[in-house]
Amino acid sequence: YGDGDPDISIGGQQIDDLFMVGTMNHGIPPNLNETFLKRLDYIPLPWWTCQMQDMVYQSKFLEAMGYQGCDIVDYYAIGSDIGFRIGEPKDFDGDGVAHTTDGLVPTESPYLEGAPLYIVTGEARPNGDADHNSQIAINDEIHQYIIHHLA
């Protein structure tokens, strides 16, 4: 309530599994700016979307955050590839296969060292449900993956 005391305390011991769907753990291309985002009219973007200077590849912020999780949480990274190129395809997990993006975030950007990376390939709305906004909202393949690991 703004009184300086936490209303909810969350610690690592309270989190067992963490699913990162379309997160920018490895960042986004530096050319992803407001002009470019206006062309993505199929994605309703919030006002803060262009405030991403700290999220470009190898930014000081991302380097300080690191690219691995912690031992007490099971991390699961989920990305989707709709074949939409923003810059060069990237291979963050080191498997030798570079992927494009989910229409906004590079497919492999959610990857953290030592965590599994699940990739869904498909199309963006209205022809599919593998774009950035659809991943967690309506993509049944991703829902089933999460449910399987939580069961």
Side-chain angles (χ1 to χ4, degrees):
Y1 297 103
D3 57 6
D5 296 321
D7 299 310
I8 301 172
S9 296
I10 297 178
Q13 288 78 7
Q14 294 175 313
I15 300 170
D16 184 44
D17 300 313
L18 180 60
F19 293 84
M20 298 166 295
V21 182
T23 56
M24 302 177 215
N25 297 341
H26 284 269
I28 56 169
N31 61 334
L32 193 60
N33 57 33
E34 191 169 2
T35 303
F36 180 85
L37 290 175
K38 285 181 182 177
R39 290 189 235 152
L40 301 178
D41 59 356
Y42 74 92
I43 300 178
L45 298 167
W47 65 270
W48 48 261
T49 304
C50 295
Q51 309 304 316
M52 297 192 261
Q53 298 86 350
D54 287 335
M55 297 308 293
V56 298
Y57 300 144
Q58 298 153 344
S59 70
K60 289 180 181 180
F61 172 74
L62 290 174
E63 294 291 317
M65 291 293 293
Y67 302 103
Q68 60 189 46
C70 65
D71 295 336
I72 61 174
V73 176
D74 293 327
Y75 292 88
Y76 299 88
I78 302 170
S80 63
D81 191 340
I82 64 169
F84 188 82
R85 289 177 67 128
I86 303 173
E88 291 300 312
K90 292 290 186 181
D91 174 26
F92 292 119
D93 68 352
D95 69 354
V97 179
H99 291 274
T100 59
T101 72
D102 63 13
L104 188 62
V105 175
T107 300
E108 295 190 13
S109 196
Y111 173 73
L112 289 180
E113 293 173 21
L117 173 63
Y118 184 69
I119 296 175
V120 173
T121 303
E123 295 184 56
R125 289 180 302 173
N127 300 323
D129 59 2
D131 58 87
H132 184 73
N133 284 1
S134 299
Q135 290 177 69
I136 197 66
I138 62 173
N139 188 295
D140 189 58
E141 186 176 347
I142 291 174
H143 293 169
Q144 294 306 315
Y145 177 81
I146 294 170
I147 290 167
H148 170 77
H149 286 285
L150 291 176

